[in-house]
Amino acid sequence: MRTAKAAKPAKKPAAPATKTVDSPEERLRSLIHRHLVSTLARHEGSASSHDWWVATALAVRDTIHERMIATQAVHNDQNARRIYYFSLEYLMGRLFGNNLLATGMLDCARSALESLGQDFEKIREAEVDMGLGNGGLGRLAACFLDSLATLDYPALGYGIYYEFGLFRQQFVNGNQVEHPDNWMRFGNPWEVVRPEYAQVVRFFGRVENVFDDRGNYRPRWVDTKTILGVPHDIPTAGYGTKTVNLLRLWASKSTEDFDLAAFNRGGYFEAVREQTSGETVSKVLYPNDKTENGKELRLMQQYFFVACSLRDIIRRHLRNPANSWANFADQVAVQLNDTHPAIAVVELTRILVDEEDMSFEAAWEIVGRTFAYTNHTLLPEALEKWSVGLFEKVLPRHLQLIYEINRRLLDAVEVKWPGDNDKKRVCSVIEENGGKQVRMANLAVAGSHTVNGVAALHTALLKQDLFPEFDALYPGKFQNKTNGITPRRWLLKCNPRLSDLITQRLGHENWVRDLDLLRGLEKSADDHAFQKEFMAVKRANKVELAAIIKAECGIEVSPDALFDVQIKRLHEYKRQHLNLLHILALYRRLLQNPGLDIVPRVFVFGAKAAPGYDLAKNIIRAINVIGARINGDSRIGGKLKVAFLPNYRVSLAEKIIPAADLSEQISTAGKEASGTGNMKLSLNGALTIGTLDGANVEIGEEVGGDNIFIFGLTVDEVAALWAKGYNPWDKYNADEELRAIIDWLGSEYFTPGEPGAFGALHHSLMGGGDPYLLLADFRSYSDAQARVDAAYRNPKHWAKLAILNTARMGKFSSDRTIREYAEQIWKIKPVAVR
Ligand SMILES: *Cc1c(COP(=O)(O)O)cnc(C)c1O
């Protein structure tokens, strides 16, 4: 039961002499055909790729739905303790391939469609990514859903059904231009709408201070505005198991379809306007990664989905006669993905106190046994705060309860540190300097039984630097759960060539559900024949990526060059501009010495900048403009190419990652909480050049120090440098090459007639004080790149390192991560579905 279901069914047995029943392929073919005709009302002759995709998705969905119903029935029958994952973002990407693999229907669907005269790959491409997230945090949630189902854990994901996901990115003259991502314009075959489980959510209004006949304070939240939350369920299918959990996403609607009075006055548009305001709440994902922005609508989004989800959990819990409030926390575990859903702590308190008539103490006890919180970042600009004024306006009763929660928290601080007002100031949920603000992280810590960081280093810094007082106040509350990625999407699906090679070499496919089994490849790392096959797979993947680069960017690249890849959100702390400084250095060395013997490289970038993040956009422009100059410079003999692929997203990541030789993980030490892109790339045989930051530290421990290119200041060295005083001009003055490339960047060399085009970037490095220490790390980075160059010249050596990277990535399966959460935080057990 626990062995992996084959990624593809075993080779078809020879056809029996007399066929009495249809083959699975024939059955699927007629099912696809039936959906095309009866569901989509399409004639075969006029059906588009999109139509074929929808028809096939619906055919696969039939099986998925049967499993989903069976799964829910088993979970309900057993009254299983469940984990409810609360996340404002889910970066799911495409679901087609995942669902085909989960149902074992991939090969069958391919041949069915081909026998219908269709191009399978083209049909796959018709699916628009479900891009309801910004980056790593949302993608982590998606990987977790995959592992939860694969490991048979009873789980439900809750979030928002954004009408518009993360913007589509285009480059115009090297500049990022954003377009709305109207992803559900043509419908979504994976969704099941459940209007019968809609929830009413209240906002605004005021609190009436009422006392009951025994003198107890019985506040009433009145004069509220209401909107409706309608659940849209997306099945999440496990691999090699029948478990199908669900992702329940809430779409907001107006409570009244029409204001009839306005309608009768002939005011049609006035009547519909009320409706628009209801629907606005789930309209669009905020496109900021790691920057909170204090906007009213964002607070409304957070409360909207949390309120709907808690109501839904309570409804599901209490509908079983065996359940009551007494066993609520025994049955329900809620994980808060960052502070975005932290208002849940207050909302559950409010429901229990105001609606269920519990004492605050009793309510708070249930709350504290229900929630756990994952911290994703130490960056101060990412720690969510809401002005007290905004809270008062949008959620006045919740603000009262926050003050009550805080009063008790500060009492506990007083017991621990009598008379110490500094301790109270840092622990308080209310920040008092300047305008008063509600600190959501402090609220989440106070209301959760467990708080976790996402990599060993990050958790250590969380305890040491961000929350040392809470760590002392609540010993044992903080834990580490190093992030992971699902091997189903990030190897099996995205890299079929490598998957086949691994399966062939290991003699089984069990690695798909037990990634530690990749260790079995270690003994082949020195085997020349295997090295050849491994690198042939890499080359074939590079040929495919080269075609995509040609089609998307119009740039010719050689698959024999080293593919040097940096794909992630554009952020100063991730230091795409450090990569750019190295590109400039190589370019300059070549111009000064055209015969210089360097390994030809293709620099591949993929990154979206938050629309309001001007410096990030300036970095994008600089990479594009300088890249174009380099790509067109015949003097350097094609040794350097720069390809910035537009619109980085999950489906594009799946094409880039299998083709990467080198993985750039070069954040300033202490800034990247974990990273997961680093894991995806290493799993696919890319070597890492990186700082000792986030999960890079643990990747280095797993693959071994000889198999990774580590450079740069450590966290302690960064702290020491700031303590001593850092001046980028000292680095500039001491390094002739660095000085030349910084001056080059500041000149109009790359933008004739437009001096200062990269002024924002130049200023951040020099006048702005270089907050991310690029100049401090440049020489160390450049030296590490020289080691990469030397290693790549020896194909056998490189192949060995690449194989060892793949072989030693077992730890970074999200299955391992989820098992740790399940056993150490959620205390849930797998439930088998037959
Ligand atoms: C994995 C992933 C990320 C996270 O990448 P990091 O390098 O860890 O920041 C962001 N976006 C997409 C589309 C991803 O697939």
Side-chain angles (χ1 to χ4, degrees):
M1 186 193 79
R2 283 249 153 226
T3 56
K5 174 76 68 74
K8 13 168 151 177
K11 292 274 171 279
K12 260 177 274 167
T18 52
K19 281 210 304 189
T20 49
V21 284
D22 287 349
S23 70
E25 182 194 317
E26 283 162 346
R27 259 181 292 147
L28 185 59
R29 191 168 52 205
S30 68
L31 201 51
I32 293 170
H33 200 265
R34 186 162 65 73
H35 277 297
L36 191 72
V37 174
S38 42
T39 314
L40 302 180
R42 274 283 172 210
H43 185 266
E44 210 180 305
S46 68
S48 64
S49 295
H50 186 267
D51 296 327
W52 282 109
W53 167 67
V54 175
T56 313
L58 293 174
V60 176
R61 198 182 71 163
D62 289 350
T63 302
I64 302 258
H65 280 182
E66 283 167 21
R67 293 186 183 183
M68 179 166 74
I69 291 164
T71 303
Q72 298 314 310
V74 172
H75 293 173
N76 289 338
D77 288 352
Q78 301 193 10
N79 200 15
R81 174 170 165 86
R82 288 183 175 88
I83 169 64
Y84 298 94
Y85 199 78
F86 279 24
S87 180
L88 202 57
E89 304 189 7
Y90 290 91
L91 198 50
M92 302 293 280
R94 293 178 177 150
L95 304 181
F96 189 62
N98 196 70
N99 287 341
L100 285 173
L101 284 167
T103 50
M105 289 163 85
L106 178 61
D107 283 3
C108 202
R110 188 192 304 272
S111 45
L113 282 168
E114 279 166 4
S115 74
L116 285 160
Q118 300 304 312
D119 176 345
F120 183 69
E121 293 307 320
K122 197 172 146 208
I123 285 169
R124 276 182 158 205
E125 289 292 312
E127 180 170 6
V128 183
D129 278 37
M130 194 173 169
L132 309 187
N134 274 285
L137 174 146
R139 185 53 232 174
L140 183 77
C143 284
F144 280 4
L145 294 179
D146 184 278
S147 287
L148 282 162
T150 296
L151 298 176
D152 292 327
Y153 285 115
L156 229 111
Y158 279 111
I160 294 181
Y161 201 57
Y162 299 106
E163 189 177 337
F164 294 91
L166 186 60
F167 63 85
R168 262 188 314 115
Q169 177 197 55
Q170 207 189 18
F171 296 135
V172 175
N173 298 323
N175 290 303
Q176 169 175 298
V177 176
E178 301 98 22
H179 301 279
D181 166 46
N182 198 352
W183 71 284
M184 52 166 97
R185 182 172 34 192
F186 299 112
N188 174 10
W190 307 116
E191 77 180 18
V192 184
V193 191
R194 305 275 193 201
E196 67 274 29
Y197 299 137
Q199 296 290 350
V200 176
V201 182
R202 299 192 289 161
F203 293 97
F204 307 113
R206 61 194 169 82
V207 181
E208 250 179 24
N209 296 312
V210 183
F211 291 83
D212 67 15
D213 50 13
R214 297 158 80 189
N216 294 314
Y217 182 47
R218 288 272 178 260
R220 287 172 50 207
W221 185 17
V222 297
D223 293 345
T224 52
K225 290 233 184 302
T226 60
I227 63 172
L228 212 58
V230 179
H232 291 60
D233 291 350
I234 312 287
T236 64
Y239 179 86
T241 168
K242 293 244 161 75
T243 296
V244 175
N245 289 323
L246 39 122
L247 170 59
R248 179 158 282 180
L249 301 175
W250 300 94
S252 62
K253 299 271 180 246
S254 290
T255 39
E256 301 297 334
D257 281 353
F258 281 108
D259 171 353
L260 268 180
F263 191 62
N264 291 336
R265 286 193 305 271
Y268 180 81
F269 288 98
E270 284 71 34
V272 186
R273 198 168 46 210
E274 180 76 4
Q275 192 171 354
T276 333
S277 71
E279 292 180 0
T280 304
V281 172
S282 63
K283 184 69 88 181
V284 59
L285 167 78
Y286 276 92
N288 305 302
D289 188 57
K290 302 201 165 71
T291 45
E292 146 302 302
N293 62 21
K295 292 285 190 302
E296 176 173 311
L297 184 60
R298 180 161 166 103
L299 178 61
M300 288 178 70
Q301 288 186 335
Q302 297 184 348
Y303 178 65
F304 164 72
F305 106 81
V306 157
C308 290
S309 306
L310 282 175
R311 285 281 178 207
D312 198 52
I313 291 171
I314 294 165
R315 174 186 65 77
R316 290 162 52 96
H317 176 72
L318 294 180
R319 80 180 163 190
N320 183 330
N323 291 339
S324 67
W325 281 111
N327 74 338
F328 184 78
D330 300 328
Q331 294 297 94
V332 173
V334 177
Q335 188 68 32
L336 306 173
N337 195 24
D338 211 314
T339 56
H340 314 152
I343 189 64
V345 162
V346 190
E347 173 67 359
L348 184 58
T349 309
R350 188 192 67 79
I351 291 170
L352 296 176
V353 171
D354 289 2
E355 298 178 12
E356 301 295 329
D357 276 347
M358 269 184 217
S359 69
F360 185 95
E361 290 75 12
W364 193 240
E365 199 255 343
I366 292 176
V367 166
R369 290 173 54 213
T370 301
F371 293 102
Y373 151 58
T374 304
N375 173 283
H376 284 272
T377 175
L378 308 170
L379 299 181
E381 65 269 29
L383 295 176
E384 290 195 299
K385 289 171 196 163
W386 300 103
S387 82
V388 163
L390 179 61
F391 239 104
E392 174 105 63
K393 177 182 169 202
V394 178
L395 298 170
R397 175 61 184 143
H398 294 74
L399 183 62
Q400 282 190 334
L401 287 165
I402 287 172
Y403 280 125
E404 181 59 20
I405 291 166
N406 198 40
R407 191 178 65 73
R408 288 157 193 264
L409 165 63
L410 297 184
D411 284 351
V413 174
E414 172 63 25
V415 170
K416 174 94 181 165
W417 295 288
D420 189 337
N421 287 330
D422 285 341
K423 290 281 192 295
K424 291 196 193 85
R425 197 171 317 113
V426 292
C427 290
S428 176
V429 176
I430 307 293
E431 185 171 291
E432 304 275 357
N433 344 327
K436 279 193 180 186
Q437 304 220 293
V438 181
R439 296 165 167 158
M440 299 307 274
N442 295 36
L443 178 64
V445 172
S448 298
H449 55 82
T450 306
V451 179
N452 76 283
V454 289
L457 175 65
H458 167 65
T459 302
L461 296 174
L462 195 62
K463 294 208 265 184
Q464 249 171 61
D465 297 344
L466 190 62
F467 292 135
E469 295 80 11
F470 282 122
D471 189 33
L473 188 63
Y474 308 122
K477 188 180 268 206
F478 290 81
Q479 292 189 16
N480 179 243
K481 294 288 166 279
T482 299
N483 281 167
I485 55 169
T486 168
R488 272 72 64 183
R489 181 172 298 260
W490 297 113
L491 182 49
L492 182 66
K493 172 173 180 289
C494 76
N495 199 342
R497 290 187 184 91
L498 185 56
S499 298
D500 286 348
L501 179 64
I502 291 169
T503 297
Q504 193 192 331
R505 179 58 48 154
L506 296 179
H508 59 75
E509 279 189 329
N510 298 344
W511 60 269
V512 178
R513 283 171 54 104
D514 183 359
L515 202 63
D516 289 325
L517 295 175
L518 291 183
R519 284 271 174 182
L521 297 173
E522 277 185 355
K523 59 178 182 291
S524 303
D526 283 309
D527 175 338
H528 290 178
F530 186 67
Q531 290 177 348
K532 275 215 170 101
E533 289 178 292
F534 195 94
M535 295 317 288
V537 162
K538 184 62 79 183
R539 192 173 190 289
N541 292 336
K542 288 164 74 174
V543 168
E544 276 187 13
L545 182 59
I548 293 168
I549 290 172
K550 174 73 184 159
E552 294 280 323
C553 313
I555 302 165
E556 298 273 359
V557 303
S558 164
D560 295 313
L562 187 163
F563 280 26
D564 181 335
V565 170
Q566 189 170 20
I567 45 173
K568 46 183 79 255
R569 282 300 287 252
L570 205 305
H571 209 296
E572 286 166 275
Y573 85 80
K574 290 177 182 280
R575 299 199 296 191
Q576 280 92 353
H577 46 342
L578 179 59
N579 190 342
L580 179 63
L581 292 183
H582 174 243
I583 293 170
L584 281 168
L586 290 180
Y587 182 42
R588 184 167 174 276
R589 288 173 207 166
L590 282 169
L591 290 183
Q592 302 203 325
N593 177 9
L596 186 69
D597 180 20
I598 63 163
V599 169
R601 288 202 201 206
V602 178
F603 294 92
V604 179
F605 288 91
K608 287 175 181 173
Y613 191 171
D614 291 335
L615 181 50
K617 289 181 147 180
N618 195 233
I619 294 170
I620 288 180
R621 170 134 198 257
I623 294 170
N624 275 324
V625 168
I626 293 169
R629 175 69 72 89
I630 291 174
N631 295 335
D633 192 337
S634 56
R635 294 175 296 175
I636 60 169
K639 283 178 185 160
L640 302 178
K641 296 279 173 160
V642 180
F644 203 139
L645 285 159
N647 202 26
Y648 180 56
R649 62 197 185 283
V650 171
S651 60
L652 184 57
E654 290 177 41
K655 293 166 183 158
I656 298 171
I657 288 167
D661 292 307
L662 187 65
S663 162
E664 298 271 353
Q665 307 300 337
I666 59 178
S667 52
T668 315
K671 298 291 184 187
E672 186 74 88
S674 165
T676 48
N678 46 4
M679 302 167 186
K680 300 167 196 168
L681 283 152
S682 179
L683 179 61
N684 283 272
L687 308 194
T688 301
I689 182 166
T691 47
L692 285 174
D693 200 14
N696 296 353
V697 177
E698 291 158 81
I699 291 174
E701 285 167 9
E702 292 296 302
V703 303
D706 295 339
N707 306 312
I708 187 167
F709 300 95
I710 295 292
F711 74 94
L713 299 170
T714 62
V715 169
D716 290 344
E717 288 164 350
V718 166
L721 183 57
W722 286 121
K724 175 171 78 118
Y726 169 66
N727 185 349
W729 292 100
D730 296 341
K731 302 287 175 187
Y732 172 92
N733 288 321
D735 188 324
E736 187 272 334
E737 181 178 60
L738 182 57
R739 189 162 67 239
I741 58 179
I742 296 274
D743 288 348
W744 216 10
L745 194 63
S747 76
E748 62 179 310
Y749 181 87
F750 296 101
T751 52
E754 195 193 339
F758 311 137
L761 168 53
H762 184 271
H763 176 79
S764 77
L765 298 180
M766 303 310 307
D770 189 18
Y772 296 94
L773 300 170
L774 279 78
L775 280 85
D777 270 347
F778 173 77
R779 191 46 57 193
S780 168
Y781 179 54
S782 171
D783 292 346
Q785 288 286 16
R787 302 202 300 275
V788 170
D789 182 292
Y792 197 78
R793 285 164 194 273
N794 182 343
K796 287 180 187 154
H797 176 61
W798 188 274
K800 175 181 175 174
L801 269 50
I803 293 166
L804 287 177
N805 267 263
T806 298
R808 294 175 175 174
M809 289 301 291
K811 171 174 174 181
F812 303 100
S813 168
S814 46
D815 297 347
R816 186 270 311 151
T817 313
I818 283 298
R819 252 192 218 103
E820 289 181 4
Y821 275 96
E823 290 168 8
Q824 297 162 20
I825 299 182
W826 303 331
K827 314 282 161 71
I828 54 166
K829 297 212 155 48
V831 172
V833 179
R834 280 163 219 289

